[in-house]
Structures are given as C-alpha cells and as structure tokens.
Amino acid sequence: MHESESKPRTSRMHADGRLSFRRRVPEVDDPDLPLVLGGEDPPGLRELLPSEALDLEVEIEVGPGKGTFLLAATEARPEAFVLGIEASASYAKYAAEKLKQSGRRNGLLLVDNAKAFLKGQVPAGALRRLHVYFPDPWPKRRHRKRRFFTEEMPEVVHDALAADGWLLVATDNAALAGEITRVLGSSPLLVRDEAEEARLRAGPPGHGFSPTSFERKYRAEGRIIRQYAFRRRDA
Ligand SMILES: C[S@@+](CC[C@H](N)C(=O)[O-])C[C@H]1O[C@@H](n2cnc3c(N)ncnc32)[C@H](O)[C@@H]1O
C-alpha cells in the first residue's frame, strides 16, 4: 500500500464537509507577514496571540476573504485584536499583505477551517466578538454540512464568547438568513438584540457588519443585506 493510501479520508480541511479544493497553499517566505498556515495541527488561540494582544479584546472573523472588514476593524478599534480565519490560503495571504502594509499589529490571518478552529482551539469565554459576514451558502443538499451555522454551532459560539460577547452575522441570501435565524434564534444559549443591530448599522465602519467586499458588491447590485447581532445568554 502506498503511504498516501493509508492516510485517513478526512482531514482538518475536510471537517464538516470537504473543503479540499482550498488546500493549494502559496509560498510564504516573509517571516514578518501576519499569516499562519494552520495545516493539520494548527496552534490554539492563546499560542497565536502575540504578547501585545493580552490586554486587547480578542475577536475572530470567519472567512474574511480579502480582509476588507478585518483591515477596517484593526484601524477603527486599536483596543481589539482581530484574528481572521480563512479557508482560502491565497485570500489569507492577500489580506495579510494588506495588514502588513498598514503597519498595524493588532490582527493576524490564519489559514484554517474556522468551524474546526472554534470547536477545538478557542478557550471558553475568550472572544469579545465573532464576525461571520457572507458565509458561503452551499445551496446543494449534499453540501449542507459545509454551511457555517449548522445545529451544533449555537453551543460552540456560546462557549467561545465572553459573557459580554457578540456574534455578528450578515448575509444577502434570504434562504440562508431564514436558516441562520432559526438555528440561532431557537437556541436558549443566544439572544438576538435588534437595538445592537441598529447601533452598529448607524455606527462608523469597522465596528461591526461593515465594510466587507461582498457587502459592497451586493449593495451595488441592489440586493437586500440582512445583519444580525446575537449575544450570549447565560442561565
Ligand atoms: C462569500 S466569501 C465572503 C468574504 C468576506 N467575508 C466578505 O464579506 O467579503 C466567504 C469566505 O469564507 C471563506 N470560508 C468558507 N468556509 C470557510 C471555513 N469553514 N473556514 C474559514 N473560511 C471559510 C471562503 O474562502 C471565502 O473567502
């Protein structure tokens, strides 16, 4: 048997559905680039954070793409450290290059499956905010497991958030919005807060929801954008 044949069929990027098409990893020859290639055994959140981040509010952005929100958030809120977890190594590298050019040190890109990272690598209560903007809708039935807000996620999110932590979500997809509000809204662990949604929508960029590349594209197309803020509910 060849070595490759003896490997398990699932891997980290296959957890919760195959993401193997994203595994083409670019060369990273710049040690100062704020980018970590997670591989099959990525470091935990605490190991990833630089010492300067210990006094900052820790946030994760799931699927930052080219990093438009992460860049705006690190600029608008120097009190926050934003870890972007992106499945596409080329997008993560692009965003890390922009972050390096900005000169700011309160952000980092990690190439990984964000669902697997949240389930296994985030200590309880570690996050002040979790941003999930325009998650892939995976419309085909056989791809459902790849969606971000599957049934187990309210508990995963609840455990990762600090007592005063927020989950912020945006999507243009009406069917996905329905599923997200059903899965999150029916959980006793999270509670939607429309006042916070209104506050963030009226607020400056980089505080929550906006700006993202997909948001710009979809607004230009006239699509309706749905934005939700959920806070952790404690017993
Ligand atoms: C539709 S794009 C949205 C990008 C960005 N949030 C925006 O609003 O412009 C979805 C992004 O999520 C990433 N992604 C999808 N599944 C992921 C996962 N499980 N973990 C991390 N990133 C993921 C994709 O590679 C892609 O960059």
Side-chain angles (χ1 to χ4, degrees), residues 11 17 30 52 63 76 105 121 138 161 192-193 201 226:
S11 75
D30 176 357
E52 305 96 284
R105 299 177 62 83
Q121 260 96 352
W138 298 113
L161 289 179
R192 189 174 161 195
D193 188 327
R201 280 189 207 114
R226 293 159 174 91

Side-chain angles (χ1 to χ4, degrees), residues 7-169:
K7 283 185 181 162
R9 280 174 59 83
T10 54
S11 75
R12 190 164 180 84
M13 293 306 255
H14 291 175
D16 304 303
R18 287 167 53 88
L19 291 171
S20 58
F21 58 93
R22 301 184 195 281
R23 297 188 75 200
R24 207 156 41 90
V25 173
E27 290 293 311
V28 178
D29 45 21
D30 176 357
D32 295 328
L33 200 62
L35 174 68
V36 173
L37 302 176
E40 291 298 323
D41 187 20
L45 180 68
R46 294 275 178 245
E47 292 166 80
L48 284 169
L49 297 180
S51 53
E52 305 96 284
L54 293 178
D55 296 329
L56 302 181
E57 296 175 358
V58 178
E59 309 187 2
I60 284 179
E61 184 184 0
V62 171
K66 291 183 175 175
T68 305
F69 179 78
L70 187 142
L71 269 285
T74 52
E75 181 176 14
R77 290 178 296 115
E79 71 278 12
F81 186 94
V82 188
L83 172 66
I85 307 179
E86 176 49 64
S88 158
S90 50
Y91 277 156
K93 188 177 179 207
Y94 179 93
E97 281 164 353
K98 294 278 180 200
L99 183 59
K100 185 184 169 191
Q101 283 162 21
S102 78
R104 293 188 291 280
R105 299 177 62 83
N106 59 331
L108 179 68
L109 277 299
L110 170 69
V111 180
D112 196 17
N113 180 339
K115 279 177 88 168
F117 189 86
L118 282 164
K119 286 179 191 174
Q121 260 96 352
V122 176
L127 301 182
R128 186 64 194 278
R129 290 189 182 88
L130 177 64
H131 308 268
V132 189
Y133 302 139
F134 302 92
D136 289 332
W138 298 113
K140 290 184 183 158
R141 198 179 175 83
R142 70 175 187 276
H143 291 156
R144 269 191 192 167
K145 281 205 315 195
R146 297 184 191 178
R147 290 182 192 159
F148 188 77
F149 290 109
T150 43
E151 302 293 336
E152 78 279 24
M153 290 311 281
E155 188 175 349
V156 174
V157 170
H158 174 273
D159 290 352
L161 289 179
D164 55 355
W166 291 96
L167 165 65
L168 305 175
V169 184

